[in-house]
Amino acid sequence: MNIQTLLNQRIQAAMTAAGAAETAPALVRQSAKVQFGDYQANGIMGAAKALKMNPREFAQATLEKLDLSDVADKVEIAGPGFINIFLKDLWLGKELAQLRTSDRLDIGEVSKPETVVVDYSAPNLAKEMHVGHLRSTVIGDAVVRTLEFLGHNVVRQNHVGDWGTQFGMLLAYMERLREESTEISMVLSDLETFYRAAKTCFDDDEAFATRARELVVALQSGDAECLKLWDEFIEISLRHCEETYAMLGVSLERQHVMPESAYNDDLQNVVNELTEQGLLKESNGAQCVFMEEFANKEGEITPIIVQKTGGGFLYATTDLAAVRFRQHTLNADRVLYFVDARQSLHFQQIFTLSRKAGFVKPETQLEHMPFGTVMGSDGKPFKTRSGGVAKLSALLEEAQERAYKLVASKNEDMDEEELRNIARVVGISSVKYADLSKNRTSDYVFNWDTMLSFEGNTAPYLLYAYSRVASIVKRSEIDVASLTGDINIIEAQERALAVKLCQFEEAIQQVVNDGMPHFLCAYLYDLAGTFMTFYEACPILNAEDETKNSRLQLALNTASTLKLGLSLLGIETLERM
RNA sequence: GCUCUGUUAGCUCAGUUGGAUAGAGCAACCGCCUUCUAAGCGGUAGGUCACUGGUUCGAAUCCAGUACGGAGCGCCA
């Protein structure tokens, strides 16, 4: 149930009936302050202006066409021409009872499902996943889960980097180890060390560097021996990624991997098509596309290079091939790219060119969902204490260890197995939530103490709130499914909780519209806080029968909403902590 | 140099697309455990939304400029 949508429709219809243009939006929002009601419509002033009417008079005219008596018990005009809506307690209670009847919390699936291709995570297989992959992976996964929940057809695409010059170096190093009869799988268990060793040879040993370059050529021209070696490397590297995904609780699997190499055979076709369309231009020996959209004020254009001098293809060429694949083979209605903000220009160019070249239908949406950098406390990109790039797996191990210390200190007589499990959930979710709860586009500072704190907008706070509700439900010893009866809203804290519970769908909607899970995080944090206040003020299990029944239903609704909301973010809940 | 992007409380962050008196958490201060998990709750204090001008009924939000920061910019991905 979406109150905002309901009110928007009703008020907009009333505005139209009162003489406004059909396109004039009602602009219904949750009210900023309690004295302004639960919702406010901000669209009256704008519409009145277009009609050259006094806004309060137009508000009055709108009210005369508006009947909200089923959902609101007060609708008033305020200030310059706001319409404030005070929802009816009885109606809220009925709606909440309705939510409880479905495990989807009465949130419907979309009437027209779209095929949404989501490009996220995309690690480079030459190295191990590091902290830089956290954002794309975690945010992308939350959006994917939410889109799927709403009934869209989601196609995950893990565009892993498995192709390019650096693989020559790695293959040359594998070759050398094999000659020395070293057990390769052992050495590859630490990709980071392997990469550094290979790099050292490449930089210091001319013969090695030459061999590395030969191997790149051999690889790209399909040499069987070389491909075998490469396959072996890729397989091991992918398994590393999968271990990290499993630890993180990310829904990416092998079938979602669509590597750069998969587009290799199509790259010449991309260039040919661009040539046929007269979009290509040779410049200093390279094949480029110059689009006036990317000119500066002097008229100089930043080109896209799709084929370099000597015939090699580039990053842009692969991405163009990927766009075509996603349109023509995957039938995308919408493609979301969760990729670092530094690549904004690149994606603007790819999208613009894809449209010009007809690689996508005009109605297909291509959206870059950029995100900022994870910073250290010094305000520079996050590094380990030794100054290196932080490996994601090591980071997650540390999170669990830190969580273990916290959890153990609070639960002295809990058995080891449960402690470990709680520490795992708290540790992992803290890292994920710290990332998810920030506006995706901004940089944020990585701080263990803040993310593992039980205070503020953190995973531990939400998990604790959930376990408190869960504990009540358990203690009530009531068959949850059979619990019926009215939800009576009497205390202010009950009302606040009831309204908040009815706003879940609004929060979910924001996640899929803008690819921004932090709206859902903010909602859940708000809900948890509202519940805590209710919990302190309104005894549940010790209340009289009817009140107890009503409050228990509010608690159950809170539990279901927190659990479902967190699951959409890819976060597990705990019944006890 | 050009092009993006950012600047909100001492710190970390929100701010629903232009709405009413700008919100949280931390840190500081004051309270609340013989009743459902105090890993909690209530309260006090803290702001020239970087600066200047503009647009209009109304600006943290839109436009222009200035200062400072970050990123990107022809053959890496």
Side-chain angles (χ1 to χ4, degrees), chain A residues 249-552:
Chain A
V250 162
S251 67
L252 279 170
E253 290 173 14
R254 187 62 69 99
Q255 78 228 40
H256 305 123
V257 171
M258 186 62 192
E260 289 181 334
S261 59
Y263 297 103
N264 194 45
D265 294 341
D266 200 32
L267 300 180
Q268 188 61 55
N269 299 334
V270 169
V271 173
N272 291 347
E273 272 202 46
L274 293 172
T275 308
E276 281 163 28
Q277 299 193 41
L279 289 163
L280 277 192
K281 196 167 157 185
E282 191 184 310
S283 173
N284 299 327
Q287 295 298 322
C288 304
V289 182
F290 290 85
M291 294 183 289
E292 59 192 21
E293 287 87 341
F294 300 96
N296 63 20
K297 59 187 176 188
E298 267 83 50
E300 295 158 344
I301 293 173
T302 304
I304 311 183
I305 304 175
V306 294
Q307 189 164 27
K308 51 187 175 182
T309 309
F313 302 109
L314 300 101
Y315 176 47
T317 330
T318 308
D319 268 335
L320 288 166
V323 168
R324 290 200 328 165
F325 174 76
R326 290 162 186 186
Q327 177 69 83
H328 297 119
T329 305
L330 301 178
N331 288 311
D333 296 308
R334 194 179 174 200
V335 189
L336 309 181
Y337 292 79
F338 287 90
V339 183
D340 196 300
R342 284 176 288 197
Q343 303 200 28
S344 291
L345 176 61
H346 167 74
F347 280 110
Q348 278 177 50
Q349 290 181 316
I350 295 298
F351 296 166
T352 306
L353 180 54
S354 294
R355 294 203 181 285
K356 271 193 207 295
F359 291 168
V360 283
K361 297 178 189 165
E363 66 273 20
T364 303
Q365 294 170 260
L366 301 173
E367 302 171 49
H368 179 207
M369 301 286 177
F371 52 82
T373 309
V374 181
M375 304 297 223
S377 53
D378 56 357
K380 292 180 185 151
F382 185 74
K383 294 272 163 58
T384 57
R385 277 173 292 268
S386 56
V389 176
K391 273 165 64 173
L392 196 44
S393 54
L395 200 73
L396 296 176
E397 295 289 356
E398 182 169 357
Q400 293 178 70
E401 263 171 53
R402 284 173 180 265
Y404 181 83
K405 284 186 188 138
L406 280 173
V407 173
S409 72
K410 303 287 183 187
N411 298 286
E412 284 171 358
D413 46 3
M414 194 179 271
D415 69 77
E416 181 67 11
E417 193 185 347
E418 186 170 6
L419 277 180
R420 284 287 166 196
N421 187 51
I422 294 174
R424 178 184 63 80
V425 174
V426 169
I428 299 295
S429 63
S430 293
V431 173
K432 290 179 84 168
Y433 192 84
D435 204 306
L436 290 166
S437 61
K438 270 89 180 178
N439 184 324
R440 143 170 86 62
T441 57
S442 49
D443 296 344
Y444 77 92
V445 176
F446 188 96
N447 182 305
W448 285 117
D449 294 335
T450 323
M451 72 177 71
L452 283 164
S453 165
F454 289 85
E455 291 155 338
N457 191 6
T458 63
Y461 179 83
L462 291 181
L463 292 174
Y464 179 64
Y466 177 80
S467 70
R468 268 183 134 176
V469 199
S471 162
I472 286 181
V473 174
K474 193 176 171 195
R475 277 170 163 272
S476 75
E477 292 177 350
I478 280 175
D479 176 15
V480 167
S482 68
L483 187 63
T484 53
D486 294 338
I487 295 179
N488 304 315
I489 296 165
I490 293 147
E491 303 297 330
Q493 293 89 346
E494 292 174 310
R495 191 175 193 286
L497 183 58
V499 172
K500 193 55 77 184
L501 284 167
C502 288
Q503 294 171 332
F504 182 42
E505 188 169 346
E506 294 172 29
I508 290 182
Q509 204 56 53
Q510 288 183 298
V511 176
V512 297
N513 288 349
D514 307 321
M516 290 192 155
H518 81 282
F519 285 116
L520 179 53
C521 295
Y523 168 78
L524 293 174
Y525 174 53
D526 228 20
L527 173 64
T530 308
F531 173 78
M532 293 285 203
T533 304
F534 160 80
Y535 178 94
E536 299 283 339
C538 304
I540 300 169
L541 298 177
N542 300 332
E544 298 295 319
D545 282 353
E546 210 172 299
T547 308
K548 177 175 169 180
N549 180 293
S550 168
R551 289 181 178 168
L552 203 49

